[in-house]
Amino acid sequence: MITPLNELYEILRKSNFNMIGYNNREERGKDEFLKKFNPLYINHEQNGSIGSYIRDHRIDNIVGSNSTTIDSFVVDLTGLRFNTDYKYTKRIAEQLRSDSITYNTQVIATIALNTTHSLNTTTRLIAALSTTLVYSSDVVAIFFDNNIKIIKNRYGREFTIENYKQYLNI
């Protein structure tokens, strides 16, 4: 069955580095959406590099100790929401983008968008993300209020998918 999510899936499959923002009410929907990519979930580390995870997984597949197919690597960057240091955020974004290109693999960065911060903190966070993670990403999607809004798309138009959970059967 063709659904409005298919266009988003196809756009994401074309790209190496994507970002998905979500609020806490949409975490389950985001997780269900990402299952289609057969992801390996990686917690964010201080240096931002995921190269060792990618190399280890490929070696395990070659030697036969791991037969799991992984189509993408999902990196949770939620810890960045409290770190508004521009240079730090920029370094993380550049490293993730570089790893996705170097290892020719798909990296999807996820970040919880906490709306309970003060206006000043939230404004600084959005400013830091928009100049680093958003700039580095091929596609940026925000999951909110049962909708997915594509706010950046290097491959075409920006659009909104309303009531996306109906297509995920959740």
Short mmCIF file of all heavy atoms in Angstrom, two decimals, residues 35-89:
data_model
loop_
_atom_site.label_atom_id
_atom_site.label_comp_id
_atom_site.label_asym_id
_atom_site.label_seq_id
_atom_site.Cartn_x
_atom_site.Cartn_y
_atom_site.Cartn_z
N LYS A 35 12.14 1.79 12.36
CA LYS A 35 12.30 0.33 12.21
C LYS A 35 12.45 -0.09 10.76
O LYS A 35 13.11 -1.07 10.46
CB LYS A 35 11.11 -0.41 12.83
CG LYS A 35 11.15 -0.48 14.33
CD LYS A 35 9.97 -1.27 14.85
CE LYS A 35 9.99 -1.36 16.35
NZ LYS A 35 8.82 -2.10 16.86
N LYS A 36 11.88 0.67 9.85
CA LYS A 36 11.94 0.32 8.43
C LYS A 36 13.38 0.40 7.89
O LYS A 36 13.69 -0.16 6.85
CB LYS A 36 11.02 1.23 7.63
CG LYS A 36 10.88 0.81 6.20
CD LYS A 36 9.58 1.28 5.61
CE LYS A 36 9.42 0.74 4.21
NZ LYS A 36 8.06 0.72 3.79
N PHE A 37 14.26 1.07 8.61
CA PHE A 37 15.65 1.24 8.17
C PHE A 37 16.59 0.18 8.75
O PHE A 37 17.79 0.26 8.53
CB PHE A 37 16.16 2.64 8.54
CG PHE A 37 15.46 3.73 7.79
CD1 PHE A 37 14.40 4.41 8.37
CD2 PHE A 37 15.83 4.05 6.50
CE1 PHE A 37 13.73 5.40 7.67
CE2 PHE A 37 15.17 5.04 5.80
CZ PHE A 37 14.12 5.72 6.38
N ASN A 38 16.06 -0.80 9.47
CA ASN A 38 16.90 -1.81 10.13
C ASN A 38 18.11 -1.16 10.80
O ASN A 38 19.26 -1.44 10.47
CB ASN A 38 17.38 -2.86 9.12
CG ASN A 38 16.24 -3.63 8.52
OD1 ASN A 38 15.29 -3.97 9.19
ND2 ASN A 38 16.33 -3.89 7.23
N PRO A 39 17.85 -0.30 11.77
CA PRO A 39 18.95 0.49 12.32
C PRO A 39 19.71 -0.21 13.45
O PRO A 39 19.20 -1.10 14.12
CB PRO A 39 18.23 1.71 12.88
CG PRO A 39 16.91 1.18 13.33
CD PRO A 39 16.56 0.10 12.31
N LEU A 40 20.93 0.23 13.63
CA LEU A 40 21.71 -0.07 14.83
C LEU A 40 21.72 1.22 15.62
O LEU A 40 22.13 2.27 15.12
CB LEU A 40 23.14 -0.48 14.48
CG LEU A 40 24.07 -0.68 15.68
CD1 LEU A 40 23.60 -1.84 16.56
CD2 LEU A 40 25.50 -0.93 15.22
N TYR A 41 21.22 1.16 16.86
CA TYR A 41 21.14 2.36 17.70
C TYR A 41 22.45 2.55 18.44
O TYR A 41 22.98 1.62 19.04
CB TYR A 41 19.98 2.25 18.70
CG TYR A 41 18.64 2.35 18.01
CD1 TYR A 41 18.01 1.22 17.52
CD2 TYR A 41 18.02 3.58 17.85
CE1 TYR A 41 16.78 1.31 16.87
CE2 TYR A 41 16.80 3.68 17.21
CZ TYR A 41 16.18 2.55 16.72
OH TYR A 41 14.97 2.64 16.08
N ILE A 42 22.96 3.77 18.40
CA ILE A 42 24.23 4.10 19.03
C ILE A 42 24.01 5.30 19.93
O ILE A 42 23.42 6.30 19.51
CB ILE A 42 25.29 4.46 17.96
CG1 ILE A 42 25.50 3.28 17.01
CG2 ILE A 42 26.59 4.89 18.61
CD1 ILE A 42 26.35 3.62 15.81
N ASN A 43 24.49 5.22 21.16
CA ASN A 43 24.43 6.38 22.04
C ASN A 43 25.51 7.36 21.66
O ASN A 43 26.61 6.98 21.26
CB ASN A 43 24.59 5.98 23.51
CG ASN A 43 23.37 5.27 24.03
OD1 ASN A 43 22.25 5.59 23.64
ND2 ASN A 43 23.57 4.29 24.90
N HIS A 44 25.19 8.62 21.80
CA HIS A 44 26.15 9.68 21.47
C HIS A 44 27.36 9.58 22.39
O HIS A 44 27.23 9.38 23.59
CB HIS A 44 25.48 11.04 21.63
CG HIS A 44 26.44 12.16 21.65
ND1 HIS A 44 27.18 12.51 20.54
CD2 HIS A 44 26.81 13.01 22.62
CE1 HIS A 44 27.95 13.53 20.85
NE2 HIS A 44 27.73 13.85 22.10
N GLU A 45 28.54 9.70 21.81
CA GLU A 45 29.77 9.71 22.59
C GLU A 45 30.41 11.08 22.48
O GLU A 45 30.11 11.85 21.57
CB GLU A 45 30.73 8.63 22.10
CG GLU A 45 30.21 7.24 22.37
CD GLU A 45 31.21 6.17 21.94
OE1 GLU A 45 32.29 6.50 21.46
OE2 GLU A 45 30.88 4.99 22.13
N GLN A 46 31.34 11.38 23.35
CA GLN A 46 31.94 12.70 23.39
C GLN A 46 32.61 13.11 22.07
O GLN A 46 32.54 14.26 21.69
CB GLN A 46 32.96 12.78 24.53
CG GLN A 46 32.33 12.69 25.90
CD GLN A 46 31.34 13.82 26.15
OE1 GLN A 46 31.52 14.94 25.71
NE2 GLN A 46 30.27 13.50 26.86
N ASN A 47 33.26 12.19 21.38
CA ASN A 47 33.96 12.58 20.17
C ASN A 47 33.07 12.64 18.95
O ASN A 47 33.45 13.17 17.92
CB ASN A 47 35.16 11.66 19.91
CG ASN A 47 34.75 10.24 19.61
OD1 ASN A 47 33.57 9.93 19.47
ND2 ASN A 47 35.73 9.37 19.52
N GLY A 48 31.88 12.07 19.02
CA GLY A 48 30.93 12.15 17.93
C GLY A 48 31.17 11.16 16.82
O GLY A 48 30.33 11.00 15.95
N SER A 49 32.29 10.45 16.79
CA SER A 49 32.60 9.54 15.71
C SER A 49 31.87 8.21 15.91
O SER A 49 31.81 7.68 17.01
CB SER A 49 34.10 9.27 15.62
OG SER A 49 34.37 8.34 14.61
N ILE A 50 31.34 7.70 14.82
CA ILE A 50 30.71 6.38 14.86
C ILE A 50 31.48 5.40 13.98
O ILE A 50 31.03 4.29 13.75
CB ILE A 50 29.23 6.44 14.45
CG1 ILE A 50 29.09 6.94 13.03
CG2 ILE A 50 28.44 7.28 15.42
CD1 ILE A 50 27.72 6.71 12.45
N GLY A 51 32.61 5.84 13.49
CA GLY A 51 33.42 5.01 12.60
C GLY A 51 33.76 3.65 13.18
O GLY A 51 33.71 2.64 12.48
N SER A 52 34.07 3.59 14.47
CA SER A 52 34.43 2.30 15.08
C SER A 52 33.23 1.35 15.09
O SER A 52 33.39 0.15 14.88
CB SER A 52 34.97 2.50 16.50
OG SER A 52 34.00 3.09 17.32
N TYR A 53 32.02 1.86 15.31
CA TYR A 53 30.82 1.02 15.26
C TYR A 53 30.62 0.45 13.86
O TYR A 53 30.29 -0.72 13.69
CB TYR A 53 29.57 1.81 15.64
CG TYR A 53 29.49 2.17 17.10
CD1 TYR A 53 29.81 3.44 17.54
CD2 TYR A 53 29.06 1.23 18.04
CE1 TYR A 53 29.73 3.78 18.88
CE2 TYR A 53 28.97 1.56 19.37
CZ TYR A 53 29.31 2.83 19.78
OH TYR A 53 29.22 3.16 21.11
N ILE A 54 30.80 1.30 12.86
CA ILE A 54 30.61 0.87 11.48
C ILE A 54 31.65 -0.19 11.11
O ILE A 54 31.31 -1.24 10.55
CB ILE A 54 30.67 2.08 10.52
CG1 ILE A 54 29.51 3.03 10.81
CG2 ILE A 54 30.65 1.62 9.07
CD1 ILE A 54 29.61 4.37 10.11
N ARG A 55 32.92 0.07 11.42
CA ARG A 55 33.98 -0.90 11.12
C ARG A 55 33.74 -2.22 11.84
O ARG A 55 33.85 -3.29 11.23
CB ARG A 55 35.35 -0.33 11.52
CG ARG A 55 35.88 0.71 10.56
CD ARG A 55 37.32 1.06 10.89
NE ARG A 55 37.51 1.52 12.26
CZ ARG A 55 37.36 2.77 12.68
NH1 ARG A 55 37.04 3.71 11.82
NH2 ARG A 55 37.56 3.10 13.93
N ASP A 56 33.41 -2.16 13.13
CA ASP A 56 33.17 -3.39 13.90
C ASP A 56 32.03 -4.20 13.30
O ASP A 56 32.11 -5.43 13.19
CB ASP A 56 32.86 -3.08 15.36
CG ASP A 56 34.07 -2.58 16.12
OD1 ASP A 56 35.20 -2.67 15.59
OD2 ASP A 56 33.88 -2.07 17.25
N HIS A 57 30.94 -3.54 12.93
CA HIS A 57 29.81 -4.25 12.35
C HIS A 57 30.19 -4.91 11.02
O HIS A 57 29.83 -6.06 10.76
CB HIS A 57 28.62 -3.32 12.15
CG HIS A 57 27.45 -4.02 11.54
ND1 HIS A 57 26.68 -4.92 12.22
CD2 HIS A 57 26.96 -3.98 10.28
CE1 HIS A 57 25.75 -5.40 11.43
NE2 HIS A 57 25.90 -4.85 10.24
N ARG A 58 30.93 -4.20 10.19
CA ARG A 58 31.33 -4.76 8.90
C ARG A 58 32.28 -5.94 9.07
O ARG A 58 32.19 -6.94 8.35
CB ARG A 58 31.95 -3.68 8.03
CG ARG A 58 30.89 -2.70 7.53
CD ARG A 58 31.42 -1.66 6.62
NE ARG A 58 30.33 -0.82 6.15
CZ ARG A 58 30.49 0.32 5.53
NH1 ARG A 58 31.71 0.77 5.27
NH2 ARG A 58 29.46 1.02 5.14
N ILE A 59 33.20 -5.84 10.01
CA ILE A 59 34.12 -6.96 10.28
C ILE A 59 33.35 -8.16 10.79
O ILE A 59 33.59 -9.29 10.35
CB ILE A 59 35.21 -6.53 11.29
CG1 ILE A 59 36.18 -5.56 10.61
CG2 ILE A 59 35.96 -7.74 11.84
CD1 ILE A 59 37.14 -4.88 11.57
N ASP A 60 32.41 -7.94 11.72
CA ASP A 60 31.59 -9.04 12.23
C ASP A 60 30.82 -9.73 11.11
O ASP A 60 30.67 -10.95 11.11
CB ASP A 60 30.61 -8.54 13.30
CG ASP A 60 31.29 -8.17 14.60
OD1 ASP A 60 32.47 -8.53 14.77
OD2 ASP A 60 30.64 -7.51 15.44
N ASN A 61 30.32 -8.96 10.15
CA ASN A 61 29.61 -9.56 9.02
C ASN A 61 30.53 -10.38 8.13
O ASN A 61 30.15 -11.43 7.64
CB ASN A 61 28.91 -8.49 8.19
CG ASN A 61 27.60 -8.05 8.79
OD1 ASN A 61 27.03 -8.74 9.63
ND2 ASN A 61 27.11 -6.89 8.38
N ILE A 62 31.76 -9.90 7.93
CA ILE A 62 32.71 -10.60 7.07
C ILE A 62 33.14 -11.93 7.69
O ILE A 62 33.19 -12.95 7.02
CB ILE A 62 33.94 -9.72 6.77
CG1 ILE A 62 33.53 -8.56 5.86
CG2 ILE A 62 35.07 -10.53 6.15
CD1 ILE A 62 34.59 -7.50 5.68
N VAL A 63 33.44 -11.91 8.99
CA VAL A 63 33.91 -13.13 9.64
C VAL A 63 32.76 -14.05 10.05
O VAL A 63 33.00 -15.14 10.55
CB VAL A 63 34.83 -12.83 10.86
CG1 VAL A 63 36.06 -12.09 10.43
CG2 VAL A 63 34.07 -12.10 11.94
N GLY A 64 31.55 -13.60 9.85
CA GLY A 64 30.40 -14.46 10.09
C GLY A 64 29.90 -14.49 11.52
O GLY A 64 29.02 -15.28 11.84
N SER A 65 30.42 -13.63 12.38
CA SER A 65 29.95 -13.65 13.77
C SER A 65 28.68 -12.83 13.96
O SER A 65 28.09 -12.83 15.03
CB SER A 65 31.05 -13.14 14.71
OG SER A 65 31.37 -11.80 14.42
N ASN A 66 28.25 -12.14 12.90
CA ASN A 66 27.03 -11.35 12.99
C ASN A 66 26.34 -11.38 11.62
O ASN A 66 26.91 -10.94 10.64
CB ASN A 66 27.36 -9.91 13.38
CG ASN A 66 26.11 -9.08 13.62
OD1 ASN A 66 25.00 -9.56 13.47
ND2 ASN A 66 26.31 -7.83 13.98
N SER A 67 25.15 -11.89 11.57
CA SER A 67 24.44 -11.96 10.29
C SER A 67 23.31 -10.96 10.21
O SER A 67 22.49 -11.02 9.30
CB SER A 67 23.90 -13.37 10.09
OG SER A 67 23.00 -13.69 11.13
N THR A 68 23.24 -10.03 11.15
CA THR A 68 22.18 -9.03 11.17
C THR A 68 22.42 -8.00 10.07
O THR A 68 23.51 -7.47 9.93
CB THR A 68 22.15 -8.31 12.53
OG1 THR A 68 22.02 -9.28 13.56
CG2 THR A 68 21.01 -7.32 12.60
N THR A 69 21.39 -7.73 9.29
CA THR A 69 21.48 -6.70 8.27
C THR A 69 21.14 -5.36 8.89
O THR A 69 20.09 -5.20 9.51
CB THR A 69 20.49 -6.99 7.12
OG1 THR A 69 20.82 -8.25 6.57
CG2 THR A 69 20.56 -5.92 6.06
N ILE A 70 22.04 -4.42 8.74
CA ILE A 70 21.82 -3.06 9.24
C ILE A 70 21.89 -2.12 8.05
O ILE A 70 22.87 -2.11 7.32
CB ILE A 70 22.86 -2.69 10.31
CG1 ILE A 70 22.65 -3.56 11.54
CG2 ILE A 70 22.76 -1.22 10.66
CD1 ILE A 70 23.67 -3.36 12.62
N ASP A 71 20.82 -1.36 7.87
CA ASP A 71 20.77 -0.42 6.75
C ASP A 71 21.18 0.99 7.16
O ASP A 71 21.49 1.80 6.30
CB ASP A 71 19.35 -0.37 6.17
CG ASP A 71 18.92 -1.71 5.60
OD1 ASP A 71 19.79 -2.45 5.12
OD2 ASP A 71 17.72 -2.00 5.64
N SER A 72 21.14 1.28 8.46
CA SER A 72 21.49 2.62 8.91
C SER A 72 21.94 2.59 10.36
O SER A 72 21.72 1.61 11.07
CB SER A 72 20.29 3.56 8.76
OG SER A 72 19.24 3.13 9.59
N PHE A 73 22.58 3.67 10.75
CA PHE A 73 23.02 3.85 12.13
C PHE A 73 22.27 5.04 12.70
O PHE A 73 22.29 6.13 12.11
CB PHE A 73 24.54 4.08 12.18
CG PHE A 73 25.32 2.87 11.77
CD1 PHE A 73 25.57 2.61 10.43
CD2 PHE A 73 25.76 1.97 12.72
CE1 PHE A 73 26.27 1.47 10.04
CE2 PHE A 73 26.47 0.83 12.34
CZ PHE A 73 26.72 0.59 11.00
N VAL A 74 21.59 4.83 13.82
CA VAL A 74 20.83 5.89 14.46
C VAL A 74 21.60 6.33 15.70
O VAL A 74 21.90 5.52 16.57
CB VAL A 74 19.40 5.42 14.85
CG1 VAL A 74 18.67 6.50 15.63
CG2 VAL A 74 18.62 5.04 13.60
N VAL A 75 21.92 7.61 15.74
CA VAL A 75 22.70 8.17 16.84
C VAL A 75 21.81 9.11 17.63
O VAL A 75 21.28 10.09 17.09
CB VAL A 75 23.94 8.95 16.31
CG1 VAL A 75 24.75 9.48 17.46
CG2 VAL A 75 24.78 8.06 15.41
N ASP A 76 21.64 8.80 18.90
CA ASP A 76 20.82 9.64 19.77
C ASP A 76 21.67 10.80 20.30
O ASP A 76 22.63 10.59 21.03
CB ASP A 76 20.29 8.80 20.94
CG ASP A 76 19.39 9.60 21.86
OD1 ASP A 76 18.97 10.72 21.48
OD2 ASP A 76 19.11 9.10 22.96
N LEU A 77 21.29 12.01 19.93
CA LEU A 77 22.02 13.21 20.34
C LEU A 77 21.25 14.01 21.39
O LEU A 77 21.49 15.20 21.55
CB LEU A 77 22.28 14.11 19.12
CG LEU A 77 23.13 13.50 18.02
CD1 LEU A 77 23.24 14.48 16.86
CD2 LEU A 77 24.49 13.13 18.54
N THR A 78 20.36 13.35 22.09
CA THR A 78 19.52 14.07 23.04
C THR A 78 20.34 14.84 24.07
O THR A 78 19.94 15.90 24.52
CB THR A 78 18.54 13.09 23.72
OG1 THR A 78 17.72 12.54 22.69
CG2 THR A 78 17.67 13.79 24.74
N GLY A 79 21.51 14.35 24.44
CA GLY A 79 22.36 15.07 25.39
C GLY A 79 22.75 16.45 24.92
O GLY A 79 23.08 17.32 25.72
N LEU A 80 22.69 16.70 23.62
CA LEU A 80 23.04 18.02 23.10
C LEU A 80 22.03 19.09 23.47
O LEU A 80 22.33 20.26 23.41
CB LEU A 80 23.17 17.98 21.57
CG LEU A 80 24.39 17.30 21.02
CD1 LEU A 80 24.35 17.33 19.49
CD2 LEU A 80 25.66 17.93 21.51
N ARG A 81 20.83 18.69 23.85
CA ARG A 81 19.82 19.70 24.14
C ARG A 81 20.21 20.60 25.31
O ARG A 81 19.73 21.70 25.44
CB ARG A 81 18.47 19.06 24.39
CG ARG A 81 18.38 18.25 25.64
CD ARG A 81 17.01 17.66 25.81
NE ARG A 81 17.06 16.62 26.79
CZ ARG A 81 16.05 15.93 27.18
NH1 ARG A 81 14.88 16.16 26.67
NH2 ARG A 81 16.17 15.00 28.09
N PHE A 82 21.11 20.13 26.16
CA PHE A 82 21.56 20.95 27.28
C PHE A 82 22.91 21.60 27.00
O PHE A 82 23.44 22.30 27.82
CB PHE A 82 21.66 20.12 28.55
CG PHE A 82 20.34 19.56 28.97
CD1 PHE A 82 20.10 18.20 28.89
CD2 PHE A 82 19.33 20.39 29.40
CE1 PHE A 82 18.87 17.68 29.27
CE2 PHE A 82 18.10 19.88 29.78
CZ PHE A 82 17.87 18.53 29.71
N ASN A 83 23.47 21.32 25.84
CA ASN A 83 24.77 21.87 25.50
C ASN A 83 24.60 22.81 24.33
O ASN A 83 24.42 22.39 23.20
CB ASN A 83 25.74 20.74 25.13
CG ASN A 83 27.15 21.26 24.92
OD1 ASN A 83 27.34 22.41 24.58
ND2 ASN A 83 28.11 20.40 25.13
N THR A 84 24.65 24.10 24.59
CA THR A 84 24.45 25.07 23.53
C THR A 84 25.77 25.67 23.07
O THR A 84 25.80 26.72 22.47
CB THR A 84 23.49 26.19 23.99
OG1 THR A 84 24.01 26.76 25.19
CG2 THR A 84 22.10 25.63 24.24
N ASP A 85 26.87 24.99 23.34
CA ASP A 85 28.18 25.42 22.89
C ASP A 85 28.28 25.19 21.38
O ASP A 85 28.30 24.06 20.91
CB ASP A 85 29.28 24.65 23.63
CG ASP A 85 30.67 25.00 23.15
OD1 ASP A 85 30.83 26.03 22.46
OD2 ASP A 85 31.60 24.24 23.46
N TYR A 86 28.35 26.26 20.62
CA TYR A 86 28.33 26.19 19.16
C TYR A 86 29.47 25.34 18.61
O TYR A 86 29.25 24.50 17.74
CB TYR A 86 28.38 27.60 18.57
CG TYR A 86 28.52 27.59 17.07
CD1 TYR A 86 27.43 27.31 16.27
CD2 TYR A 86 29.75 27.83 16.48
CE1 TYR A 86 27.55 27.28 14.89
CE2 TYR A 86 29.88 27.80 15.10
CZ TYR A 86 28.79 27.53 14.32
OH TYR A 86 28.91 27.48 12.96
N LYS A 87 30.69 25.53 19.08
CA LYS A 87 31.83 24.80 18.55
C LYS A 87 31.70 23.30 18.80
O LYS A 87 32.02 22.48 17.95
CB LYS A 87 33.15 25.32 19.16
CG LYS A 87 33.52 26.69 18.65
CD LYS A 87 34.81 27.16 19.26
CE LYS A 87 35.12 28.56 18.77
NZ LYS A 87 36.33 29.08 19.37
N TYR A 88 31.20 22.92 19.98
CA TYR A 88 31.01 21.51 20.31
C TYR A 88 29.96 20.88 19.39
O TYR A 88 30.18 19.83 18.79
CB TYR A 88 30.58 21.39 21.77
CG TYR A 88 30.21 20.00 22.21
CD1 TYR A 88 31.20 19.06 22.48
CD2 TYR A 88 28.89 19.62 22.36
CE1 TYR A 88 30.87 17.78 22.88
CE2 TYR A 88 28.55 18.35 22.77
CZ TYR A 88 29.54 17.43 23.03
OH TYR A 88 29.21 16.17 23.42
N THR A 89 28.82 21.54 19.24
CA THR A 89 27.75 21.04 18.39
C THR A 89 28.22 20.95 16.94
O THR A 89 27.93 19.97 16.25
CB THR A 89 26.51 21.95 18.50
OG1 THR A 89 26.16 22.09 19.87
CG2 THR A 89 25.34 21.37 17.74
#
